[in-house]
Every structure is written in structure tokens, then in C-alpha cells.
Amino acid sequence: MVAEGIPEIVYYLGFVTVSTIGLVVVLLLLISPKDPRPTPEKHAAFESGQIAAGRGRTRFIVQYYPYLLMFVVYDVVAMFLFAWAVNLRALGAPGTIPILVFMAVLLTPLAYALRLANKPENW
Amino acid sequence: MAEPFPDPIQMTLAIMTSPLFLKIAIFPGLTSIAIIAALLTWLDRKITARVQLRIGPQYVSPLGGILQSFADLIKLAFKELPLPEKADKFFFVMAPVFGMVLAGGLMGLIPFSHETLISNLEIGLPVFLAFVTLSPTLVLLAGWSANSKYPFIGGLRSLFQQTAYEIPLWLSAIGVVMLAGTFNLEKIVLAQSKGWFIVPQALGALLFLITSVAEQERIPFDLPEAEPEVIMGWQAEYTGFFFLAAQGAGFIKLYAFSALFATLYLGGYLGPGPLPPLFWSLLKTIGIVVAVILLRGTFGRVRIDQLLRAGWTILLGLALVNIVITYFIVVGFPTI
């Protein structure tokens, strides 16, 4: 049965979600103390004791952006391998030829992209 | 409906004593997760202290301070919860809460024994890994919504760290799927009745352990919350319960990943002798937990460029080698 276990996990996730959010609401409204006259520093952004300056969302780290691009592509590729792996015994050795072609086509650009991404002078 | 409406008290009692509700609420569900996460916090502090020739928590309760984390829990619950005024408050509050929900959701898939399994999903392993993949997104959301510098840098680091370990994590788990021929975690356990998968999957198990430590953001891969570098990173603005949720999610993940490692490679709840299956699965889980905690005491933190390079070259390459080895095992010895 493919659908086996789906209601249970949905009930479980629902129960965990409801009880955690319930706990947060109870804590925020009932238990946690309120400061009637908070100083401005209490609600300021934390910067190791300095007064917060400038934008909170600072510059992005862009040196590793090529890795992000590769991740977007090759994370999906891993899923295809799962589909092949689960049927490996049924497919046997002949079923391997398409996946070998698939991997060869996809891993060659990966090797080139990695060579470029690993070069510090391209950052 | 022709039937009369059932008595609400009777119905509530019936639901609350049903096996599914007990599993969801007590074991392996919510209550046991909270207690075990608190005990793991204590174990983590105690073992790390021993490694560093310290004593660790000792005052709360006579038994080596075992109730220390429960005392911390009560302390944190009664703290004021100031929110940064520049923060996007809804997402700022919801990110750690949903991080904890996702981490707790992992436990619904782990077969501790045939009786104490909440959901026997046919696609259990991919669902587990999909839950895991979502959590760095929540970390990034927490860092972005805090609108402060350290959380923002921590969130971005989490994103880059994910790109390094995620694909090796998935690929190292593929070896087990190839051997067992199923995604169902309980069937994977039963497929190991002739021998644990750690023997044909030694390389895969090592890769899975390394990448799962990276996923849990534990030393040596705790870049998103590195204390000396980015002051707890994405958790810097959290206090009280939200800090507890952020930290607790990490320990729940430690527990869940150790249980998954035991399930995939160490035969799960299978074990010799008359001892119950639950004993074996918990024993194996605790063993992996201790090993991961010892890693924390042993290694220094890697740099982010080291992690990215190692993840994309060494870990990914070894994961592909592992798939090739497993392929020849499966095709060469079809009886295993």
C-alpha cells in the first residue's frame, strides 16, 4: 500500500505543531514577564554592546555563489538517482546503461563548474 | 448520520487511550522527545566537560547534575521575551518554532520497534531527508527576519553550508536503498536480518555520519552558529523560549539522526537475545549520540571555504564511489 502511514504522520505533525504553538502562545501571553518601561537598548539589534549602526541586512557573501548555482541543479539530480536505486534489483545490469549516460552527461559540466568555482581568483 | 452523536467524554477517553495517540503523545512522540532532548543536553555538556578535563554540571540533583537541563528549561521559560524592534516579528517568532516542529516531525518516521512506529510510510527515507532539507531554509528565514548583522551572516552561512553537505548526504543514503530495494525504513531494518548494512556500506556510513553532523550544525561544522566568529550566528537575537527552541531543535536532530543512522546501518531494532527490540534501538542510538558528542570535543571548526571545497570534491566524489561499490555488490552478489 502506497498510502499506508500518511494519516498517522499528518496527525503527528498536526499534534506537534498545535502543541508547540500553543506553548508559545501561553508563554508569550501568560508566563513571560513584561517590562512596563523598556529602555530603547532592550529592543535594539545586538552588536556586541555597540550601538547598532547601519543596515541589519548587510552585504551578501558572494564568493561562494557558484556553489549555490550548482546546488540548485544537482540536488534534483540526486532525486533521479533515488528512483534508479530503489529499482536496481529489478532493472539489473542492463538498466544501468541509461543511468551511466545520464550521469556522464551531468557530471562532466559539474567537473568544469567545480574547477571554476574552486579557483580563488574568480571570486 | 443515523447514529446518535457519541458522548464527548467517552470519545475523548477513547482517543486518548488509543495506541496511536499514546505513540504520538508519549513515545516515540512529543513527551519522550522533550525529555530525551533535555537529557542529551546534559550528556553533551557532561561528556564535553570530561574531554576537556572539567566536571560539568553537578549541583542540580545528586546524580551528577542530571536535572540541570530541566532547571535551565524552567529558567528560560520564565524569561522576558523582548523582540528586536526592527525585526519582522511574525517570521522571527515562527522560524525557531517551526524548526522545532520539523525536528520533532523526524521522530514520527523512525522505527524504534514494530509497535512503537508512528508512521510506516512507504517513502520514509526520502520524507525524512526532505524534512531535513527544509530546516536550513528556516535558519535563513530566522537570520533574515531578525534584521541584524550577526543573525544575517549566520543565516547565509547556513545556506552555503547546506549546499556543501546536502548532496553527499542524499547520495550516501542511496547505497542503503540500493541494498534494501525499498524506501520504507522498517523494511530497511528487516532487510538487515542477515547482516548489518554497515559492513557493505562502511564508506557510505562514514559519509552519512559526517554529513549528518554538518546538518545538525554541530562542531566541527557549526559555522552558522559559531560562537567566537558570529556570536551564535542566527540565534544571536533569540532569548528565553525561542533560544530554547533553537537549541532544542539541534538536540532533537542529534537524536533523530542517530536513530536514523542506527536504522540504516546498524540493524535498527534487531538484536540478539531475549531483550526487547526497543532496548536495542535505543542502545544503538545512544552509542551514535556519544560518538557525535565526542567529535565535538575532538575537532576544531572548519572554515567555510574548506567545507564547501571538501563537500563538493571529496565528499561528493566518495559518495559516487560508494554508489559504484554498492552497485557491484548488488549485481555481483544478488543473494545478499
Side-chain angles (χ1 to χ4, degrees):
Chain A
M1 278 296 288
V2 176
E4 193 193 347
I6 291 177
E8 284 92 339
I9 192 75
V10 170
Y11 292 151
Y12 175 62
L13 284 178
F15 184 77
V16 174
T17 313
V18 168
S19 36
T20 318
I21 292 177
L23 189 63
V24 172
V25 170
V26 168
L27 278 169
L28 274 175
L29 295 182
L30 298 178
I31 297 179
S32 113
K34 299 277 181 299
D35 191 348
R37 281 174 296 153
T39 54
E41 286 81 13
K42 183 172 261 182
H43 293 289
F46 174 75
E47 286 190 13
S48 314
Q50 308 281 339
I51 293 170
R55 297 168 61 215
R57 288 158 194 158
T58 51
R59 295 182 180 202
F60 281 89
I61 312 167
V62 293
Q63 297 97 308
Y64 314 119
Y65 189 67
Y67 294 107
L68 270 185
L69 280 180
M70 292 192 304
F71 177 70
V72 171
V73 176
Y74 288 95
D75 203 26
V76 186
V77 173
M79 236 10 257
F80 283 105
L81 275 179
F82 262 83
W84 163 73
V86 76
N87 290 315
L88 178 61
R89 281 180 203 273
L91 293 171
T96 319
I97 296 161
I99 202 80
L100 274 180
V101 175
F102 178 70
M103 291 313 288
V105 168
L106 284 163
L107 289 181
T108 319
L110 177 68
Y112 182 63
L114 268 178
R115 204 174 134 251
L116 290 185
N118 284 344
K119 269 187 189 169
E121 58 265 35
N122 286 352
W123 288 356
Chain B
M1 261 196 257
E3 298 169 30
F5 192 73
D7 183 9
I9 298 171
Q10 289 273 326
M11 226 172 80
T12 316
L13 272 176
I15 290 175
M16 285 185 67
T17 50
S18 69
L20 179 64
F21 183 81
L22 290 179
K23 277 193 279 185
I24 285 176
I26 311 288
F27 185 88
L30 207 59
T31 316
S32 72
I33 291 176
I35 292 172
I36 289 176
L39 290 178
L40 288 186
T41 314
W42 170 80
L43 193 69
D44 184 32
R45 292 179 61 180
K46 205 76 179 168
I47 292 179
T48 312
R50 288 284 162 187
V51 171
Q52 297 167 349
L53 302 181
R54 293 184 287 117
I55 296 171
Q58 55 173 335
Y59 292 114
V60 186
S61 89
L63 237 164
I66 198 165
L67 296 178
Q68 178 69 49
S69 36
F70 294 96
D72 287 345
L73 206 149
I74 294 166
K75 180 195 78 178
L76 286 171
F78 283 91
K79 281 203 166 197
E80 192 191 342
L81 296 168
L83 303 175
E85 61 184 352
K86 280 203 228 155
D88 192 338
K89 295 197 178 53
F90 178 75
F91 291 112
F92 182 74
V93 168
M94 278 305 160
V97 170
F98 273 99
M100 198 146 97
V101 168
L102 270 183
L106 299 175
M107 298 311 298
L109 301 161
I110 300 286
F112 279 109
S113 72
H114 182 68
E115 292 79 26
T116 58
L117 167 60
I118 291 176
S119 169
N120 192 16
L121 270 185
E122 201 58 40
I123 48 166
L125 182 59
V127 169
F128 190 103
L129 294 174
F131 280 5
V132 162
T133 309
L134 279 175
S135 61
T137 316
L138 286 171
V139 170
L140 183 65
L141 185 66
W144 177 264
S145 63
N147 202 350
S148 171
K149 284 167 192 155
Y150 292 122
F152 184 66
I153 296 170
L156 285 181
R157 281 179 166 213
S158 166
L159 187 69
F160 287 115
Q161 178 164 332
Q162 183 191 17
T163 67
Y165 68 74
E166 192 76 38
I167 296 174
L169 176 69
W170 285 68
L171 293 185
S172 58
I174 280 183
V176 172
V177 176
M178 287 161 87
L179 284 172
T182 175
F183 291 140
N184 186 318
L185 287 170
E186 187 167 26
K187 286 181 189 160
I188 287 175
V189 170
L190 295 176
Q192 298 176 67
S193 51
K194 278 179 284 180
W196 293 358
F197 283 163
I198 195 160
V199 180
Q201 283 292 309
L203 181 60
L206 182 68
L207 287 171
F208 187 85
L209 190 67
I210 293 172
T211 46
S212 64
V213 172
E215 156 56 35
Q216 296 158 38
E217 296 182 359
R218 291 181 64 79
I219 290 174
F221 306 110
D222 68 336
L223 293 158
E225 47 187 86
E227 281 179 73
E229 296 169 15
V230 286
I231 331 258
M232 296 310 281
W234 62 279
Q235 303 175 2
E237 295 284 357
Y238 287 114
T239 54
F241 178 78
F242 302 127
F243 182 71
L244 182 78
Q247 289 279 304
F251 281 98
I252 296 170
K253 268 196 227 159
L254 169 63
Y255 173 43
F257 264 105
S258 307
L260 184 69
F261 187 91
T263 305
L264 292 183
Y265 297 106
L266 299 180
Y269 58 73
L270 302 173
L275 288 159
L278 195 58
F279 170 80
W280 289 112
S281 52
L282 283 177
L283 184 74
K284 288 167 188 174
T285 305
I286 296 295
I288 301 299
V289 165
V290 171
V292 173
I293 290 173
L294 283 175
L295 279 183
R296 181 185 159 194
T298 312
F299 290 104
R301 183 178 302 117
V302 298
R303 287 202 319 265
I304 192 155
D305 62 315
Q306 289 172 332
L307 175 63
L308 280 166
R309 271 182 206 194
W312 277 99
T313 51
I314 300 168
L315 292 181
L316 184 63
L318 285 178
L320 290 172
V321 168
N322 179 53
I323 289 177
V324 173
I325 293 172
T326 316
Y327 172 77
F328 284 113
I329 290 173
V330 172
V331 174
F333 308 93
T335 50
I336 291 179

